[in-house]
Amino acid sequence: KNQVEQSPQSLIILEGKNCTLQCNYTVSPFSNLRWYKQDTGRGPVSLTIMTFSENTKSNGRYTATLDADTKQSSLHITASQLSDSASYICVVSSSGGSYIPTFGRGTSLIVHP
Amino acid sequence: DSGVTQTPKHLITATGQRVTLRCSPRSGDLSVYWYQQSLDQGLQFLIHYYNGEERAKGNILERFSAQQFPDLHSELNLSSLELGDSALYFCASSPGLVNTGELFFGEGSRLTVL
């Protein structure tokens, strides 16, 4: 069964600090992995996409990594801002029969001033 | 703005009632997905339509049904509502059938069942 596990479930950091969110998946065969940001009460928005051949990709202060061998991804946020407070969701898509992406439960990040 | 429009934004109703949620996908997108998000929970996949046809079902209750119309908008019908159906319901769209691309989410419809 395709699964995506995220850790930690929640995280509180001070403004300006860095943090790293983790995602482990068992989706096979692997197609791509996306990190979404969901502000409270809003729809998720894609931050980055990682394909099999990519190890690292940056989008401003967000840097995603992918280790396809261990089936792990991380999202690193640098110099956090109050606006980074949101839920971060790891979503993995398969190139196999099921084309419905598998969603993680998300990591809730709170950035305090 | 994702280009996906959902109505209504908020809906309050009573147990036992029936409601219809509406979604207009991005221009040109053929796929529509429905998700349910209960308080402090992850997004649960309900159902997927592609070009008017149902293509995949997730954890959708028998009390719930959906359809996609020829103009590609979609409706999610929730009947015999229970307190536990209170949630945010999201619609997402994507261009094609094989999801190697991005899902574009609407702003959601918040349903409160009293």
Side-chain angles (χ1 to χ4, degrees), chain A residues 9 31-32 34 36 38 40-47 49 87 89 91 93-95 99-101 103-106, chain B residues 33 35 37 40-45 48 50 55-56 88 90 97-108 110:
Chain A
Q9 185 175 349
S31 174
N32 64 78
R34 285 186 181 270
Y36 283 79
Q38 184 180 21
T40 301
R42 307 291 297 274
V45 176
S46 178
L47 292 173
I49 178 173
S87 179
I89 305 169
V91 182
S93 295
S94 173
S95 56
Y99 47 83
I100 301 300
F103 280 66
R105 290 173 59 89
Chain B
Y33 307 76
Y35 289 86
Q37 188 174 39
D40 293 332
Q41 298 295 311
L43 287 152
Q44 297 295 318
F45 169 67
H48 169 231
Y50 173 77
R55 298 307 299 257
L88 261 173
F90 286 103
L97 180 63
V98 178
N99 187 33
T100 57
E102 181 176 356
L103 290 181
F104 296 89
F105 284 84
E107 291 301 303
R110 182 176 294 280

Side-chain angles (χ1 to χ4, degrees), chain A residues 19-91:
Chain A
C19 67
T20 300
L21 314 180
Q22 301 288 345
C23 173
N24 295 336
Y25 62 92
T26 59
V27 176
S28 182
F30 175 84
S31 174
N32 64 78
L33 182 149
R34 285 186 181 270
W35 284 93
Y36 283 79
K37 179 186 180 187
Q38 184 180 21
D39 292 321
T40 301
R42 307 291 297 274
V45 176
S46 178
L47 292 173
T48 66
I49 178 173
M50 306 290 290
T51 57
F52 188 86
S53 59
E54 296 174 308
N55 300 117
T56 303
K57 183 176 286 186
S58 292
N59 177 4
R61 294 180 296 102
Y62 300 103
T63 299
T65 66
L66 175 67
D67 185 334
D69 292 331
T70 62
K71 298 187 176 180
Q72 296 180 325
S73 176
S74 66
L75 181 68
H76 185 74
I77 304 175
T78 304
S80 61
Q81 300 177 357
L82 298 180
S83 60
D84 292 330
S85 295
S87 179
Y88 292 84
I89 305 169
C90 178
V91 182

Side-chain angles (χ1 to χ4, degrees), chain B residues 19-85:
Chain B
V19 299
T20 296
L21 310 180
R22 182 189 168 101
C23 169
S24 293
R26 292 189 322 155
S27 177
D29 282 359
L30 300 178
S31 274
V32 170
Y33 307 76
W34 285 97
Y35 289 86
Q36 178 193 55
Q37 188 174 39
S38 302
L39 187 63
D40 293 332
Q41 298 295 311
L43 287 152
Q44 297 295 318
F45 169 67
L46 295 178
I47 198 163
H48 169 231
Y49 280 85
Y50 173 77
N51 202 22
E53 291 188 13
E54 180 189 305
R55 298 307 299 257
K57 267 187 174 181
N59 299 320
I60 187 167
L61 300 172
E62 286 191 9
R63 299 183 286 109
F64 297 180
S65 65
Q67 54 184 326
Q68 187 180 27
F69 295 87
D71 67 353
L72 300 178
H73 91 270
S74 178
E75 293 181 355
L76 179 66
N77 301 297
L78 315 175
S79 61
S80 302
L81 285 168
E82 302 176 357
L83 297 178
D85 297 328

